[in-house]
Amino acid sequence: MRTPSQPQPRITLSADRLHQARRHLLHITGGDKRAVLARALAGDDVRELPIRAFLACPLAIYWAP
């Protein structure tokens, strides 16, 4: 899948398929993404922030400034 804002192709997987993975890793970069992660950790509405669907399962989070 290609989007006008990104020069490289993307892969899209359903939440169900992602939950079937043996390991769950989240890599984020920058202060803005870290702030969004903090918001996600503070709430529970998955519709507001879809990443919340993965915060309940074992997840390794890697952040780089």
Side-chain angles (χ1 to χ4, degrees):
M1 178 173 158
R2 290 191 182 267
T3 63
S5 63
Q6 298 294 319
Q8 66 273 24
R10 293 181 165 194
I11 297 173
T12 302
L13 299 172
S14 68
D16 189 44
R17 177 59 78 184
L18 289 170
H19 276 292
Q20 293 175 23
R22 284 181 265 168
R23 294 184 194 163
H24 296 102
L25 307 158
L26 175 64
H27 178 256
I28 58 173
T29 58
D32 291 343
K33 297 287 174 112
R34 188 174 183 186
V36 172
L37 177 61
R39 279 184 39 226
L41 290 168
D44 60 3
D45 184 0
V46 174
R47 291 171 296 175
E48 179 188 9
L49 293 171
I51 189 59
R52 288 178 173 151
F54 295 93
L55 296 178
C57 60
L59 178 67
I61 300 173
Y62 297 91
W63 174 73

